[in-house]
Amino acid sequence: MKFCDRGARSFAPQHVLIPHLVLLCVTFWSLTRNGRAQESVNAGPPDPQIVTVLMQISPVRMQAAVEKLVGFQTRSTLSAQDAQSIASGKGIGAAREWIRSEFARYSRECGGCLEVKTDTFTEAPAERIPKPTEITNVYAVLKGTDPESSKRIVLVTGHYDSRNSDTLDTTSSAPGANDDASGTAVSLECARVLSKLKFPATIIFLTVAGEEQGLVGSRHFAQMAKAAGWNIEAVLNNDIVGGDRSAQQDTRVVRVFSEGVPVSATDDDLRLIRNLGGENDSASRELARYIAQVGRTYDAGIRPLLVSRPDRYLRGGDHLAFNRERYTAVRFTEFLEDFHHQHQDIRTENGIEYGDLPKFVNFDYAANVTRLNAATLASLASAPAPPANVHLFLKQLENDSTLTWEPSLGGRAAEYEVLWRATTSPEWEHVQPVGTALRITLPQSKDNVIFAVRAVDKAGHRSLPMVPLPER
Ligand SMILES: [Zn+2]
């Protein structure tokens, strides 16, 4: 009855609950005949270690990190980064050195478990870069403990550069508390708490510069990763996650943006997407759905609101630089932005306060967003690799559907699950455990639903789902 109760609540307001309860339970019973029907497929049972670590995420630390970053006065990518400015604690160079020292401190606290690294390059002059400019991304690597699984990487990122009204202003105050000291603080706080655990797969905690000059830092990092053949399975970009304290803010919700048709799709990819109706099943969209599942498995204090769009209307962010290199990447952003508090010189005009100041940031909100990120990173880094080469058989016309796949690499999968949903449904609706089988025939027409297969380890950690390719 518990299951029916949950289903009824999510479908009907309280006052119509009782008359419809019996009917709903009958409906769910008929759905469960073919697989375990769930109104909300989740990411498995909560892992007690992950639950414990989420409790260590602290709004006080988020606030301290944001205020420290704001204290550098400006973090314009074009601002000073010479030894003198670093010593005086002003400019992007000083911010960079502080981030590096924070990662190094967390590493000392975990017996050197983090490798602290920088990715430095000189960007040639461009529209928002008047002269050759050295740009440095700072990151920490928590290497996976399993030799095969450690080649799989999950990554969290935020941009530590800031700007005011003029993108080319290199000296005036540019606090960037929400945009994007908040996202930088997510990477830092995730590194601090997750470095207390060990995971089979690798986690990278990244902070980039050059975002406000045109995603320059993330583009360099994504291209470097691609050239080096890094298997980055998921990128979580946090940009403006401070939950601005405007009256209309909904502190219960954080938006998760994901691309539908991949920006990197080739003509062949596009043909396939058109023919299969695959425009709602990019790898990044599957990651967004996974985050929704994590949000149901763990109580992060905040609910992800999936937005089926690469970013805010015709706007951009660092996840897109990863998408362009064919990486799976999504963006977290607060529910409601206050544009008086973004990309603005600090001033008051007609009674309106402008500027991206810490006093507008809700640190409880930012801590909850961090919990959702940390739960997602920990779930993915604990999970087995997704099953490889998932295919849907088309050798003959039939109303059943036969799926095949190859074992999850690394040998950590204890079983597999097939997921499916109606073509019009935003999230996975049904899950069928299939044990260690690598082939299953289901009495469901492939014409009416979308399938995926995911791997599950002994403890119940779920991989990202893989949508099948047709096999003729
Ligand atoms: Zn930003």
Side-chain angles (χ1 to χ4, degrees):
M1 278 311 289
K2 190 162 173 270
F3 172 74
C4 293
D5 287 344
R6 277 195 301 137
R9 257 205 307 279
S10 70
F11 278 89
Q14 206 61 37
H15 62 280
V16 295
L17 184 89
I18 302 305
H20 290 273
L21 188 60
V22 174
L23 177 65
L24 280 162
C25 287
V26 170
T27 309
F28 280 121
W29 171 246
S30 64
L31 287 172
T32 51
R33 282 185 309 160
N34 297 318
R36 220 164 47 216
Q38 298 186 355
E39 77 283 11
S40 51
V41 172
N42 66 26
D47 175 333
Q49 280 201 71
I50 298 175
V51 171
T52 303
V53 128
L54 296 187
M55 291 191 298
Q56 294 164 13
I57 291 169
S58 149
V60 174
R61 284 183 180 272
M62 298 295 292
Q63 179 166 4
V66 167
E67 287 176 349
K68 182 72 188 181
L69 287 162
V70 169
F72 296 113
Q73 189 157 330
T74 176
R75 305 186 309 280
S76 162
T77 298
L78 311 173
S79 65
Q81 46 182 320
D82 57 287
Q84 199 186 348
S85 69
I86 292 171
S88 71
K90 300 278 181 271
I92 193 157
R96 175 192 76 209
E97 290 309 312
W98 177 74
I99 292 167
R100 184 151 59 176
S101 71
E102 280 296 282
F103 281 140
R105 187 160 67 83
Y106 308 154
S107 189
R108 283 196 297 278
E109 288 167 6
C110 63
C113 75
L114 293 171
E115 195 182 347
V116 183
K117 302 184 79 166
T118 50
D119 160 36
T120 300
F121 60 98
T122 301
E123 183 70 6
E127 193 190 342
R128 295 191 199 171
I129 301 196
K131 58 178 186 199
T133 301
E134 192 174 282
I135 293 178
T136 299
N137 302 317
V138 186
Y139 61 108
V141 182
L142 180 62
K143 186 133 168 72
T145 52
D146 180 82
E148 185 62 36
S149 303
S150 66
K151 295 173 197 159
R152 297 171 44 227
I153 299 167
V154 292
L155 184 150
V156 61
T157 185
H159 70 88
Y160 72 91
D161 62 312
S162 68
R163 59 167 288 184
N164 50 34
S165 298
D166 176 3
T167 344
L168 302 181
D169 181 338
T170 63
T171 53
S172 315
S173 197
N178 198 350
D179 185 11
D180 183 33
S182 67
T184 305
V186 172
S187 283
L188 286 169
E189 187 68 351
C190 283
R192 187 182 71 82
V193 301
L194 294 181
S195 59
K196 295 174 179 175
L197 297 181
K198 295 193 185 322
F199 300 96
T202 295
I203 307 179
I204 292 180
F205 309 94
L206 173 63
T207 67
V208 300
E211 198 271 353
E212 304 290 9
Q213 315 310 123
L215 315 182
V216 180
S218 52
R219 187 183 67 216
H220 189 271
F221 191 93
Q223 288 175 348
M224 174 191 76
K226 184 55 85 179
W230 290 5
N231 175 19
I232 304 179
E233 217 171 81
V235 173
L236 311 180
N237 174 32
N238 288 270
D239 196 351
I240 313 175
V241 291
D244 185 283
R245 295 179 181 278
S246 48
Q248 298 80 24
Q249 187 64 270
D250 187 342
T251 56
R252 299 165 302 175
V253 172
V254 61
R255 291 179 290 173
V256 179
F257 293 88
S258 61
E259 64 176 9
V261 177
V263 67
S264 67
T266 63
D267 284 351
D268 283 350
D269 295 335
L270 292 173
R271 202 170 300 119
L272 197 60
I273 289 167
R274 272 197 299 272
N275 289 341
L276 300 179
E279 62 276 5
N280 199 15
D281 282 278
S282 69
S284 299
R285 187 66 44 81
E286 303 307 350
L287 172 59
R289 291 187 180 109
Y290 189 93
I291 293 164
Q293 293 168 10
V294 169
R296 291 189 284 267
T297 292
Y298 295 95
D299 181 9
I302 201 158
R303 185 171 61 81
L305 171 70
L306 306 194
V307 184
S308 294
R309 184 170 270 165
D311 205 317
R312 289 88 35 84
Y313 202 80
L314 290 185
R315 299 187 65 195
D318 287 318
H319 58 304
L320 302 180
F322 286 91
N323 284 153
R324 286 186 193 119
E325 300 302 322
R326 292 183 85 88
Y327 284 121
T328 299
V330 300
R331 173 185 186 137
F332 291 79
T333 298
E334 64 190 14
F335 178 71
L336 189 92
E337 295 168 80
D338 186 330
F339 301 105
H340 298 130
H341 303 157
Q342 285 178 23
H343 303 186
Q344 293 285 348
D345 293 338
I346 302 167
R347 65 195 191 280
T348 301
E349 261 175 35
N350 303 322
I352 296 171
E353 276 189 283
Y354 291 83
D356 190 353
L357 295 164
K359 67 176 178 179
F360 302 123
V361 173
N362 176 340
F363 296 101
D364 289 320
Y365 182 93
N368 288 340
V369 175
T370 308
R371 285 189 188 99
L372 183 57
N373 273 265
T376 304
L377 294 168
S379 297
L380 285 171
S382 303
N389 292 321
V390 181
H391 283 107
L392 184 52
F393 266 52
L394 297 173
K395 287 204 164 72
Q396 58 195 47
L397 291 174
E398 57 187 355
N399 284 316
D400 289 350
S401 300
T402 297
L403 291 138
T404 64
W405 56 94
E406 289 168 17
S408 153
L409 276 176
R412 297 190 50 259
E415 64 168 331
Y416 299 94
E417 290 176 340
V418 177
L419 308 176
W420 70 94
R421 64 177 209 275
T423 57
T424 49
S425 296
E427 285 199 56
W428 299 110
E429 298 170 311
H430 307 270
V431 54
Q432 170 79 55
V434 298
T436 54
L438 298 174
R439 177 189 180 101
I440 182 89
T441 299
L442 292 167
Q444 298 285 337
S445 170
K446 61 187 95 40
D447 301 329
N448 303 340
V449 301
I450 293 169
F451 286 110
V453 185
R454 65 183 181 182
V456 186
D457 79 351
K458 279 203 300 281
H461 302 108
R462 264 69 178 177
S463 75
L464 286 168
M466 300 303 288
V467 173
L469 288 170
E471 180 160 322
R472 290 176 210 282

